[in-house]
Amino acid sequence: MNLTHWKLERDADGIAWATLDVADSTTNTLGFAVMTELGQLLDELDRQPPTALVIRSGKAAGFIAGANIEEFTAIDSAAAARVLVERGWNLFNRLAAVAYPTLALVRGHCMGGGFELALACRYRIAVDEPGTRMALPEVMLGIYPAWGGMLRLPQLIGPAAALDLMLTGKGVDARKAKRLGLADEAVPARVMDNAARMLVLSGREPHRLPFMQKLMNGPLSGIVASKARQQVATKARPEHYPAPYAIIDIWANHGGNALVVPASSPSSLEAIFRSPTAKNLIRVFFLQERMKGFGKGSDFEPKRVHVVGAGVMGGDIATECALRGMIVTLQDQSVERIAPAIARAGKRIERKFRGKPREARFALDRLIPDPAGAGVAQADLIIEAIFENLDAKRALFADIERRARPEAVLASNTSSLRIADIATALTDPSRLVGIHFFNPVAVLPLVEVVKSAVSADEPFRKAAAFVRKLDKLPLPVQDEPGFLVNAVLGPYMYEALRCVDEGIAPETIDAALVAYGMPMGPVELMDTVGLDIAVAAGKTLAGADAVLPKALADRVAAGQLGKKSGQGFYAWVDGRAKKAAAGAPPAGLAERIAAPLLAAARRCVEKGVVEDADLADAGVIFGTGFPPFTGGPLNLSRAGAAG
């Protein structure tokens, strides 16, 4: 048997060890050739049955990343999609039916089709280290796990937990996999092979569901499905995101088998393939991968970071750095000003390391209050996150430059000022770049990395590498007012407020834009950001000829600044906006309010703020939450023009 991607070995106990090591790739994926060879491997084991079979990875990068996405995107018809699904479904059913015990030894990422392969084995061992993650993320690409995941995962851990994983695409680590019953064992890497050998030869009964969970998979499945649909409906509309509704339907009504769903059903392979959502979400996936690549141009490994400004933004930036193993000094005018940031950091770190008090303590210890700014002298990277005042920022950087190491990266988190204007205070202005985070820092993945006309290439590359160290997406942007994200948000939010001036209720406006696909309405977003900030940056970000909406001006004059003051367009109680019922929106309201955003995105491309329209789409999606199912504002504009 001549295999290119698999290696089959038998040991003295008669165990067959099948190692997947996809040729000419750093990552294991289940492409056509790999799946064909898996079939050949099973043929060989049929001829000479082993005592047991262990499937493992030969890659340092992980177990299996899933199906080959390049091959998937080349599919040009629903019939071809059906062939792809049928091949995986039949092959994994064959693996699940073999007479000898089988085990998946999972170290590192185990995603999508790779997870479905593991589910087809009798046993699973997860290696307990940070890189191990199990997930079915297909829903995030607008598709569903059709190689057996919708059948086997509910049977293994119960429908509630299984649907939670399938409908969100979220992953679990080794310890949680063990708690859920996904993994039979979670073991250290040093004993993984011995643990696999012992378990696969143990004769242990596979994990069984309690009686009530079996009922929920059977006679009570309709109740579970109804509740799941209600939960999904609070987050996604079926016309925007059909895949989660299809997952529920296929599990509840078709035994988890997508191949038997009638072509006329909205859950069918044909319907999902025809939907533009999958095409657009796969486009967004590739755009995300492109942004991840921007951090690869430098081997910069910042060990010490100094953050100036312990407000919400600066404090949260410092916290994210500490969570990623960096020693962070946090500067403000006094310890009392820094204390709230440390308190917030404690809560964030506790949530992140729940059940791991030792790791939590170490992370908090890495965050050091530094009112005197002593950390500047040792820092590899210094980030300024003070209030938006050009003179104050210039004075601060003039002082920092005198005390910082020559090779340290100097960065501003400004949202509306030009980096080149701030850099005039420096003896060497080429050192300064922008690293612009978005609030809330812990949630939003995008970070704009700003290069001015005077910025040198090396600090710019280092800044992008730093952003990737935080597991965020660096977007290179040029030094124009508002960069990309705020340049498109300003006109969008101002148009919403003009509608308020015309007498349309804020609740109606917000409801219309949420129905459009935005994660939050523009009025609530402005309340969250702060109405005073909107006024300060408004003319810069909304255009020189912008007139301040009266509803905004009146509230700021009255000291109603939004969430932080407890009153803006909404009253805020316990961090939540109190809203009246939304009325029926005027026809075309959402499209009217979104139109300035689409126009601003086009202008940013024309002005060279971002390299191309694809990056503009990516930046607006990941920076504003613009509906991913559209593929981005410019992609939406092109689709509308074509239609």
Side-chain angles (χ1 to χ4, degrees), residues 88-118:
W89 172 264
N90 290 338
L91 186 58
F92 289 175
N93 280 348
R94 181 182 174 190
L95 173 62
V98 298
Y100 45 85
T102 55
L103 180 145
L105 179 53
V106 176
R107 184 181 191 185
H109 54 247
C110 176
M111 303 290 177
F115 190 16
E116 291 180 288
L117 185 151

Side-chain angles (χ1 to χ4, degrees), residues 371-394:
V376 168
Q378 288 81 40
D380 303 306
L381 173 74
I382 300 159
I383 303 175
E384 167 271 312
I386 65 171
F387 55 98
E388 292 288 88
N389 180 280
L390 181 59
D391 290 338
K393 290 179 188 287
R394 282 173 169 165

Side-chain angles (χ1 to χ4, degrees), residues 131-209:
T132 297
R133 302 287 290 178
M134 293 182 175
L136 290 174
E138 285 87 349
V139 71
M140 300 171 72
L141 299 179
I143 56 178
Y144 41 59
W147 287 353
M150 293 184 287
L151 166 68
R152 295 189 179 92
L153 189 59
Q155 291 176 342
L156 183 67
I157 64 173
L163 287 171
D164 181 50
L165 293 180
M166 291 190 291
L167 297 176
T168 63
K170 66 185 178 184
V172 296
D173 61 17
R175 294 183 188 182
K176 186 168 184 180
K178 174 69 165 63
R179 290 197 302 272
L180 287 174
L182 287 176
D184 298 276
E185 301 291 347
V187 303
R190 67 180 183 276
V191 300
M192 62 182 184
D193 289 340
N194 281 337
R197 179 179 288 105
M198 292 172 63
L199 178 56
V200 81
L201 295 177
S202 68
R204 184 199 299 183
E205 278 291 308
H207 177 73
R208 303 293 186 191
L209 281 181

Side-chain angles (χ1 to χ4, degrees), residues 250-518:
I250 295 170
W251 164 71
N253 300 317
H254 302 285
N257 184 358
L259 295 167
V260 301
V261 180
S264 58
S265 167
S267 303
S268 69
L269 287 165
E270 289 80 4
I272 293 295
F273 182 82
R274 286 194 304 268
S275 167
T277 296
K279 178 182 176 182
N280 287 334
L281 291 181
I282 291 169
R283 163 185 162 77
V284 172
F285 168 80
F286 281 116
L287 293 178
Q288 180 175 337
E289 293 302 299
R290 181 181 173 189
M291 284 194 289
K292 289 179 180 179
F294 289 124
K296 295 179 179 177
S298 171
D299 59 359
F300 184 50
E301 292 277 356
K303 293 183 171 53
R304 291 179 175 270
V305 175
H306 184 77
V307 179
V308 185
V312 171
M313 182 64 76
D316 290 357
I317 293 170
T319 302
E320 294 306 301
C321 293
L323 281 169
R324 296 311 192 282
M326 303 170 201
I327 297 172
V328 191
T329 42
L330 180 57
Q331 180 181 350
D332 213 306
Q333 294 175 343
S334 66
V335 172
E336 288 75 20
R337 284 180 176 263
I338 300 172
I342 301 297
R344 279 197 322 277
K347 293 178 181 177
R348 163 87 169 112
I349 289 169
E350 183 181 354
R351 288 195 304 271
K352 178 75 172 178
F353 293 112
R354 185 173 286 116
K356 300 177 181 178
R358 187 167 176 265
E359 287 91 335
R361 186 175 70 252
F362 287 164
L364 194 56
D365 286 348
R366 289 192 291 269
L367 183 54
I368 305 167
D370 183 18
V376 168
Q378 288 81 40
D380 303 306
L381 173 74
I382 300 159
I383 303 175
E384 167 271 312
I386 65 171
F387 55 98
E388 292 288 88
N389 180 280
L390 181 59
D391 290 338
K393 290 179 188 287
R394 282 173 169 165
L396 176 64
F397 275 109
D399 176 61
I400 286 173
E401 185 185 33
R402 286 191 292 270
R403 297 187 292 130
R405 297 159 54 210
E407 67 276 16
V409 177
L410 308 185
S412 173
N413 183 59
T414 182
S415 60
S416 59
L417 300 174
R418 287 166 52 91
I419 298 299
D421 291 340
I422 300 171
T424 57
L426 298 177
T427 303
D428 180 7
S430 71
R431 295 181 67 181
L432 187 66
V433 294
I435 302 180
H436 179 217
F437 290 82
F438 296 91
N439 193 19
V441 174
V443 175
L444 291 177
L446 189 80
V447 178
E448 292 176 318
V449 183
V450 190
K451 184 178 183 182
S452 76
V454 297
S455 300
D457 289 339
E458 186 61 17
F460 180 73
R461 283 193 293 267
K462 287 182 175 180
F466 161 71
V467 171
R468 286 300 299 137
K469 292 294 183 295
L470 298 183
D471 196 27
K472 293 193 177 292
L473 302 174
L475 178 70
V477 295
Q478 295 300 311
D479 192 20
E480 292 288 337
F483 315 129
L484 171 69
V485 172
N486 283 343
V488 304
L489 272 181
Y492 163 73
M493 292 194 289
Y494 268 38
E495 187 64 28
L497 295 189
R498 290 188 189 99
C499 292
V500 175
D501 283 352
E502 293 171 14
I504 303 175
E507 291 87 349
T508 300
I509 292 167
D510 281 348
L513 270 299
V514 170
Y516 180 80
M518 298 297 283

Side-chain angles (χ1 to χ4, degrees), residues 167 227-237 241 244-245 248:
L167 297 176
K227 184 176 180 181
R229 286 189 196 95
Q230 291 172 8
Q231 292 175 337
V232 170
T234 64
K235 299 178 181 178
R237 296 160 69 95
Y241 296 100
Y245 295 91
I248 298 168

